[in-house]
Amino acid sequence: LYYDRIVGHNKPLKMTPKIIDKKQKKEKILKAAMKVFASKGVANTIMNDIAKEACIGKGTIYEYFKSKDEMIVEAFNYFINQLNSELEKDLQKLTDPIEKLKTMISTLVKFTEKSLTETIEIILDFWAEGIRQKYETKTYILNLKETYNDYRNIIIKILEDGIKENKIKKVNTKNVASIIIAILDGIMLQWFIDKNVINLSSISEDIHRLIFEGIGKTIKSGGIL
């Protein structure tokens, strides 16, 4: 008995509480949501589908997300953050505006190709959901306008730098940026409808040529910058 009291055998064992990384758990749920959204579509997905994919109870999801609408917004932001990370990584070491714009276009195309059908289906679903929510009273709204503005402003800044460095013609930078985004959107949509029509692996060079033959400054040797 004395020994038991000394070593504590007569005391209840204390269990160390399991430490849950909430950020990691939330990311796991978002990844599961993205996968389900891609296979079933945003509109057809229910919370139970996501819970099964994440291998957690349905109630656990509501500890992180109040509703499906909130999860849609969070999943959209997660997707955009992934894309932005790719862009930042590819652009941060570049200084030449022409190379920056070429790289941005290539990265956006490669990101779509790398993620294959899942990416474009989710983009289209998010786009449709954002339009739907615009005309409904929603607490959580996909801010497509802000997203487009962000990318438009990045391109505008690159174009302005190119004009200052005399590498790009004086153009309406806002219009040209909008045209570039429209080209990329159109290519993704066509590729989604029929992947045999467009080869994403080679189309970036054609986009570069089309754009820079229009806005690139012609140097004395006759080439296009």
Side-chain angles (χ1 to χ4, degrees):
L1 290 174
Y2 177 76
Y3 177 80
D4 285 342
R5 287 198 300 273
I6 293 298
V7 298
H9 284 185
N10 61 335
K11 296 179 181 179
L13 294 175
K14 291 183 179 180
M15 300 297 291
T16 303
K18 186 178 180 181
I19 299 173
I20 299 174
D21 187 333
K22 289 198 170 185
K23 185 178 179 181
Q24 193 176 45
K25 189 72 169 284
K26 187 174 184 178
E27 187 172 324
K28 179 184 176 182
I29 296 172
L30 286 174
K31 285 181 178 178
M34 294 286 284
K35 192 170 182 180
V36 178
F37 288 156
S39 62
K40 299 189 71 171
V42 172
N44 295 325
T45 296
I46 59 175
M47 296 295 253
N48 200 43
D49 296 329
I50 298 168
K52 286 180 180 178
E53 181 64 35
C55 299
I56 58 174
K58 183 179 176 181
T60 303
I61 289 184
Y62 288 102
E63 294 177 17
Y64 294 85
F65 306 96
K66 294 177 183 177
S67 65
K68 178 184 168 183
D69 285 326
E70 182 181 356
M71 179 177 283
I72 291 169
V73 173
E74 291 269 10
F76 174 74
N77 291 335
Y78 179 76
F79 172 81
I80 292 299
N81 287 337
Q82 283 186 307
L83 176 54
N84 288 344
S85 293
E86 291 281 332
L87 281 172
E88 186 177 352
K89 181 181 70 177
D90 291 345
L91 294 177
Q92 63 182 354
K93 294 181 180 179
L94 299 175
T95 56
D96 181 72
I98 299 294
E99 289 306 312
K100 275 189 175 182
L101 191 53
K102 284 183 177 180
T103 300
M104 183 174 183
I105 291 168
S106 298
T107 299
L108 289 169
V109 173
K110 285 177 184 176
F111 188 81
T112 300
E113 184 180 27
K114 183 175 70 174
S115 302
L116 298 175
T117 306
E118 289 186 6
T119 298
I120 189 64
E121 286 183 351
I122 293 171
I123 289 173
L124 293 174
D125 251 355
F126 281 148
W127 183 79
E129 189 68 18
I131 297 297
R132 180 182 69 81
Q133 288 188 5
K134 182 180 177 181
Y135 297 102
E136 296 180 8
T137 304
K138 293 284 182 182
T139 305
Y140 306 98
I141 298 177
L142 294 180
N143 201 333
L144 296 179
K145 180 179 177 180
E146 183 178 317
T147 302
Y148 272 104
N149 280 340
D150 287 344
Y151 290 123
R152 188 181 295 110
N153 288 334
I154 292 172
I155 297 173
I156 287 172
K157 178 64 169 60
I158 294 172
L159 292 171
E160 288 175 346
D161 289 344
I163 292 170
K164 287 177 184 177
E165 295 178 23
N166 203 33
K167 293 182 177 180
I168 292 176
K169 297 173 185 175
K170 289 183 179 180
V171 294
N172 184 316
T173 55
K174 185 177 181 181
N175 285 349
V176 172
S178 297
I179 290 168
I180 291 172
I181 291 172
I183 290 172
L184 293 170
D185 276 352
I187 286 168
M188 290 178 186
L189 180 59
Q190 290 182 71
W191 181 74
F192 172 67
I193 293 170
D194 187 354
K195 295 177 181 61
N196 295 319
V197 172
I198 293 175
N199 183 343
L200 288 182
S201 299
S202 62
I203 202 166
S204 291
E205 285 302 317
D206 293 321
I207 298 172
H208 297 161
R209 195 175 300 111
L210 177 66
I211 292 172
F212 291 109
E213 283 183 1
I215 67 172
K217 279 272 191 174
T218 304
I219 57 178
K220 290 182 179 179
S221 61
I224 300 294
L225 284 174

